[in-house]
Amino acid sequence: MAKYFDEPSRTFSEYLLIPGYTGPENTPDNVSLRTAVTKYRKGQEEPALSMNIPLTSAIMQSVSGDRLAIALAREGGISFIYGAQTIENQAKMVARVKNYKAGFVPSDSNIRPDQTLADLLAVKEQTGHSTTAVTEDGTAEGKMVGLVTSRDYRISRMGLDTKVSEFMTPVEKLIYAKEGITLSEANDMLWDHKLNALPILDDAGRLKYFVFRKDYDDHKANPLELLDDDKRYIVGAGINSRDYAERIPALVEAGVDILCIDSSEGYSIWQERTIKWVREHYGDSVKIGAGNVVDGDGFRYLAEAGADFVKIGIGGGSICITRETKGIGRGQATAVIEVAKERDKYFKETGIYVPICSDGGIVHDYHMTLALAMGADFLMLGRYFAGFEESPTARLMVNGSYVKEYWGEGSNRARNWQRYDLGGQSKLSFEEGVDSYVPYKGMLSDGVRASLYKVKSTMCNCGALTIPELQDKAKLTLVSATSIVEGGAHDVILKDTSSTR
């Protein structure tokens, strides 16, 4: 006979936090959202990898590209570069993130001296950069012959057929450094000579890198940015349980910091085999998360298999229709609560704390706080990040409003059959996701900082200054359908503020 659960599975909107004592120290500025990402012996050691904010971006084509990965790392979180692409392309994305913050940045805006102003403007339009290296062959590592910035030309006074060599600043007049200089020394040269960009050349005069003043300024403006020991941004990547033997070595070579198996349902032999392969070939030096699961049995299976963290959630994403098509899943709040209980039980038995990630079901910012209070160590978000400028999709005007495209990995558009692989045919048999739009939300930094300020404020209302303290002190109550209605604006006539915007 089938097993039946007495309690229904519940969503975050069915819960509220009860305020606790707020002391004088409970101010948002004092709250730390630092959280563990990988398993560790709690009380005896620090985790190998932590985040400064409890947010990761979903392993989705419409969410996690290299540009968003850089923006999220600046805020203190981790993006998992999507795996539904060729191994080569995914590795290149990872490498771009790692190289971006090395301080020594490979040039991605290059031109030959015999090309024209029209060609230069096309390069600028493509890259968005005003500083362009002029090399003999127009490549990022060609012999440098000059540099062009926006101060070197006037479109209104020059013909578009003007050769770059006629208006560039020749290398003889440039201040540059030789390969081998330290980042600190390069930054000193930027400031001493009042430069915006410092080219780094090898002994043969070939361009190797740039060091930019804006990177120094960015560091000061982003105190929570997540960096590795070499001052490079932390980045993750999604993998599948089919081509991992070829994909993982390429990602490790590119510098990836952590992997995550991307699957709609993780309580499977395929994930155990993938983790086992990683441990056999890399030991504990390669960190790998697994999932998704929705109960204690699934968590324990993956924890015992060696997962560094376990992801929770089936069917709760805004573009996911797995529950409709297959009839499996669980309300996200109930899933997080149940898995958190098993996580704590596993810790008491083994001394090993395996972080858990809540993936899906976040509709409102306060749901973030609820998920953390219920036991999640960090969250994975798709729709939330898809609306920001830095996501990989196009910004469109639809019905008078700006939107961005957002589609599920199980949709016909993505056709990411590996995510739904059950060891059978190598194709997507039916859809488990939809193709949609989300409202455009501007820059990621503004949105994330606003959302997390709300999280911090709520934590202060609960008397907590850290995520573990919130989980220890939180008091949660179920709310009725009527209470949910009462929680919003009601019984008033709202003013139309559109005319004042």
Side-chain angles (χ1 to χ4, degrees):
M1 182 178 175
K3 177 181 179 180
Y4 292 88
F5 292 89
D6 294 331
E7 287 293 319
S9 65
R10 300 186 181 279
T11 68
F12 293 128
S13 290
E14 294 180 76
Y15 287 91
L16 287 175
L17 283 156
I18 303 297
Y21 170 70
T22 301
E25 73 282 3
N26 293 123
T27 63
D29 290 344
N30 288 334
V31 173
S32 169
L33 293 178
R34 188 167 176 81
T35 189
V37 178
T38 56
K39 65 183 179 181
Y40 67 109
R41 293 190 176 275
K42 197 173 183 179
Q44 301 179 39
E45 62 184 9
E46 290 298 312
L49 182 58
S50 297
M51 291 188 294
N52 292 325
I53 63 172
L55 303 183
T56 63
S57 67
I59 309 168
M60 300 176 69
Q61 299 166 34
S62 56
V63 177
S64 295
D66 50 303
R67 188 182 177 203
L68 188 130
I70 292 167
L72 184 52
R74 279 177 173 166
E75 299 305 313
I78 297 176
S79 184
F80 285 87
I81 302 292
Y82 68 90
Q85 59 179 319
T86 66
I87 295 172
E88 181 184 15
N89 286 346
Q90 188 183 24
K92 284 181 177 179
M93 280 191 175
V94 169
R96 282 198 291 270
V97 178
K98 299 306 292 185
N99 290 333
Y100 189 93
K101 195 50 190 181
F104 299 98
V105 183
S107 178
D108 64 355
S109 185
N110 310 285
I111 199 167
R112 298 190 314 273
D114 62 335
Q115 290 182 272
T116 65
L117 176 59
D119 295 325
L120 175 72
L121 296 176
V123 170
K124 183 178 179 181
E125 176 69 21
Q126 181 182 2
T127 66
H129 298 157
S130 59
T131 298
T132 303
V134 186
T135 61
E136 284 185 344
D137 59 3
T139 66
E141 292 195 353
K143 185 173 182 180
M144 191 167 190
V145 296
L147 187 71
V148 175
T149 71
S150 57
R151 293 175 295 182
D152 292 315
Y153 59 89
R154 293 280 296 275
I155 299 175
S156 60
R157 296 188 179 185
M158 298 168 61
L160 292 178
D161 58 350
T162 306
K163 299 293 186 184
V164 171
S165 58
E166 296 180 32
F167 58 87
M168 70 181 188
T169 301
V171 68
E172 296 81 13
K173 295 184 178 181
L174 291 174
I175 295 173
Y176 59 87
K178 286 296 185 71
E179 190 176 19
I181 189 174
T182 68
L183 183 59
S184 177
E185 291 170 337
N187 281 326
D188 286 342
M189 288 186 68
L190 284 171
W191 288 96
D192 291 344
H193 296 282
K194 299 180 180 180
L195 305 173
N196 289 321
L198 178 69
I200 310 296
L201 310 184
D202 68 10
D203 290 336
R206 290 187 296 266
L207 177 63
K208 302 302 293 184
Y209 308 104
F210 275 107
V211 176
F212 293 101
R213 177 194 289 262
K214 66 179 180 61
D215 286 345
Y216 180 87
D217 295 336
D218 283 348
H219 174 67
K220 296 302 181 182
N222 297 280
L224 295 178
E225 61 183 355
L226 199 60
L227 306 173
D228 64 16
D229 293 338
D230 296 317
K231 306 299 182 184
R232 302 178 301 174
Y233 283 135
I234 298 289
V235 63
I239 62 170
N240 61 69
S241 55
R242 284 275 184 141
D243 66 6
Y244 55 84
E246 295 78 36
R247 190 174 293 269
I248 291 175
L251 295 172
V252 171
E253 176 68 21
V256 75
D257 297 283
I258 187 166
L259 304 169
C260 184
I261 305 173
D262 182 26
S263 175
S264 64
E265 202 280 294
Y267 190 0
S268 75
I269 184 64
W270 316 115
Q271 296 222 357
E272 181 184 11
R273 289 178 179 176
T274 305
I275 297 169
K276 182 179 179 181
W277 185 91
V278 169
R279 297 301 175 227
E280 288 176 348
H281 289 80
Y282 295 98
D284 289 327
S285 65
V286 169
K287 304 303 180 184
I288 181 169
N292 288 13
V293 301
V294 292
D295 65 2
D297 292 341
F299 167 84
R300 184 168 286 267
Y301 180 82
L302 294 176
E304 291 178 346
D308 283 293
F309 70 86
V310 174
K311 199 145 61 80
I312 308 162
I314 295 177
S318 59
I319 40 68
C320 183
I321 55 173
T322 295
R323 296 180 193 174
E324 291 181 22
T325 57
K326 297 175 70 174
I328 64 169
R330 201 173 199 185
Q332 190 67 5
T334 298
V336 171
I337 292 168
E338 291 298 315
V339 172
K341 288 179 182 177
E342 191 66 24
R343 185 265 321 274
D344 294 344
K345 182 180 177 182
Y346 184 80
F347 168 65
K348 289 179 181 179
E349 294 174 2
T350 66
I352 299 173
Y353 186 89
V354 181
I356 56 176
C357 168
S358 176
D359 175 18
I362 302 294
V363 179
H364 306 291
D365 287 346
Y366 82 91
H367 289 171
M368 297 181 186
T369 319
L370 286 170
L372 296 171
M374 290 172 179
D377 295 282
F378 58 98
L379 317 175
M380 181 170 279
L381 306 168
R383 179 190 59 83
Y384 177 84
F385 285 116
F388 289 124
E389 172 66 29
E390 295 89 345
S391 73
T393 65
R395 182 178 65 169
L396 307 171
M397 177 74 77
V398 175
N399 296 327
S401 299
Y402 281 115
V403 298
K404 295 205 80 175
E405 296 179 293
Y406 180 46
W407 59 90
E409 290 298 290
S411 66
N412 273 324
R413 180 171 184 172
R415 303 201 68 80
N416 182 8
W417 63 268
Q418 295 96 331
R419 189 176 197 275
Y420 303 90
D421 183 26
L422 295 175
Q425 301 180 68
S426 300
K427 67 178 184 178
L428 188 69
S429 299
F430 54 88
E431 283 191 288
E432 293 189 45
V434 299
D435 199 341
S436 64
Y437 300 116
V438 293
Y440 174 71
K441 299 192 296 186
M443 304 304 290
L444 179 144
S445 60
D446 295 333
V448 165
R449 293 179 187 187
S451 295
L452 293 183
Y453 193 85
K454 295 177 188 177
V455 172
K456 291 179 178 181
S457 296
T458 305
M459 289 173 64
C460 290
N461 294 142
C462 297
L465 294 176
T466 66
I467 292 172
E469 190 177 9
L470 173 67
Q471 294 168 351
D472 181 60
K473 291 184 175 182
K475 296 180 289 184
L476 293 124
T477 181
L478 281 167
V479 294
S480 67
T482 305
S483 294
I484 294 173
V485 174
E486 181 186 60
H490 61 92
D491 300 312
V492 295
I493 300 173
L494 295 177
K495 295 180 179 179
D496 181 6
T497 58
S498 59
S499 61
T500 62
R501 292 179 182 175

